[in-house]
Amino acid sequence: MSRATSYHRPGTVEQALALLAVEGNVALAGGTLLNADDDPTPVGMVDLQGLGMTAISVADDRIELGAMVTLQDLRQDGSVPPVVSDAARAELPSTLRTLATVGGTVAVGDPDSVLLAALLVHNAEIHVAGPDGTGGAPLANALSANGPCEGRLITAVSLSIGGTTAHEAAGRTPSDTPIVSATARRTGGLTTVALTGVASTPVLVDPADPTSGLEPTGDFRGSTDYRLHLTSVLTDRALASLGGAS
Ligand SMILES: Cc1cc2nc3c(=O)[nH]c(=O)nc-3n(C[C@H](O)[C@H](O)[C@H](O)COP(=O)(O)OP(=O)(O)OC[C@H]3O[C@@H](n4cnc5c(N)ncnc54)[C@H](O)[C@@H]3O)c2cc1C
């Protein structure tokens, strides 16, 4: 049964923010999590479809993805960096990719999201609108703040483009959500590595010491020690795949 007690479809960001200020109202993007959630708490749905935010635009060395760009759009737009496009494909089956959005993925901050890891190595910044105005922040900071979207709307995510990338993952099967994955990018002599499956959200780590500070929670898919072992092995493999590229 639907959790929705009311449905709103604002036409502007300002109208959406006014609706989200009402207790019990939540933003509805693709609905893949919100509508599938078995949490019985009733909510008022503030549908973001009327706000646009579906553009993908490239300027200088950055690409901007509107918050309502779907994961399928990321697959199909040739200007999206390859590791981001591949991660969008790995994240969800095609039936859900046509619904799930970039903004929803960032707001959820799933620890196993290979798409978030791909965004992190591309120096993603999120753009938000809130009662206090608009602003931006590095995705890494927003994820570690755990809930930066409270009362705010993510309007876009921008990425730096270019560089060489590599992705390594270990799962129960090749098509399963990875237990741990490592995504690496090298550009201008700078190497960045992002991991999934080792913290409460995907994280950027020191490529030379990737397990430093990590204490992954073990579960039926992998113990703490196994996840730390995978972290070292997969990071080494991803860095080896980058080779001497700069
Ligand atoms: C079968 C299945 C498998 C899944 N597998 C994965 C997976 O492997 N990895 C993964 O990360 N997720 C997974 N999910 C969860 C979900 O599909 C993704 O997190 C998805 O990307 C959410 O996007 P959405 O647009 O559908 O968000 P919605 O379901 O519409 O919203 C999710 C949350 O984000 C908030 N939100 C949405 N857009 C914004 C915005 N612009 N600004 C502020 N807040 C916003 C909503 O209020 C809500 O709290 C899975 C879900 C299902 C049903």
Side-chain angles (χ1 to χ4, degrees):
M1 206 165 99
S2 172
R3 303 168 60 193
T5 52
S6 59
Y7 174 85
H8 313 271
R9 189 164 170 155
T12 66
V13 168
E14 291 71 26
Q15 289 168 359
L17 289 172
L19 286 163
L20 289 171
V22 177
E23 198 176 334
N25 281 354
V26 296
L28 171 68
T32 59
L33 187 64
L34 214 47
N35 289 330
D37 203 344
D38 55 10
D39 182 343
T41 316
V43 289
M45 299 279 189
V46 180
D47 191 340
L48 306 183
Q49 280 185 84
L51 305 183
M53 307 195 297
T54 54
I56 297 179
S57 55
V58 181
D60 301 324
D61 60 347
R62 290 192 76 82
I63 182 168
E64 185 168 298
L65 313 169
M68 292 297 282
V69 165
T70 67
L71 274 52
Q72 186 64 11
D73 296 331
L74 296 181
R75 284 295 295 154
Q76 288 172 338
D77 190 297
S79 55
V80 172
V83 79
V84 174
S85 175
D86 291 347
R89 181 175 184 278
E91 192 97 326
L92 289 170
S94 59
T95 43
L96 295 173
R97 279 204 300 275
T98 55
L99 298 169
T101 65
V102 169
T105 303
V106 169
V108 173
D110 188 303
D112 294 328
S113 171
V114 290
L115 177 55
L116 287 177
L119 298 179
L120 282 171
V121 297
H122 277 280
N123 300 329
E125 298 219 348
I126 64 166
H127 304 261
V128 295
D132 46 350
T134 57
L139 174 61
N141 296 2
L143 290 175
S144 62
N146 218 4
C149 304
E150 196 64 38
R152 292 170 162 203
L153 268 185
I154 299 164
T155 54
V157 176
S158 70
L159 314 175
S160 63
I161 50 184
T164 309
T165 49
H167 174 74
E168 294 287 338
R172 289 174 300 175
T173 71
S175 59
D176 250 5
T177 301
I179 301 166
V180 174
S181 77
T183 305
R185 174 171 178 250
R186 186 169 296 153
T187 179
L190 183 71
T191 303
T192 43
V193 173
L195 303 174
T196 65
V198 295
S200 58
T201 67
V203 282
L204 286 169
V205 294
D206 178 357
D209 189 8
T211 58
S212 176
L214 296 179
E215 287 179 40
T217 305
D219 65 7
F220 69 97
R221 296 192 306 153
S223 65
T224 298
D225 286 347
Y226 182 55
R227 286 170 188 264
L228 290 173
H229 171 72
L230 286 178
T231 294
S232 300
V233 170
L234 296 173
T235 301
D236 283 352
R237 284 186 195 158
L239 294 177
S241 296
L242 291 181
S246 63

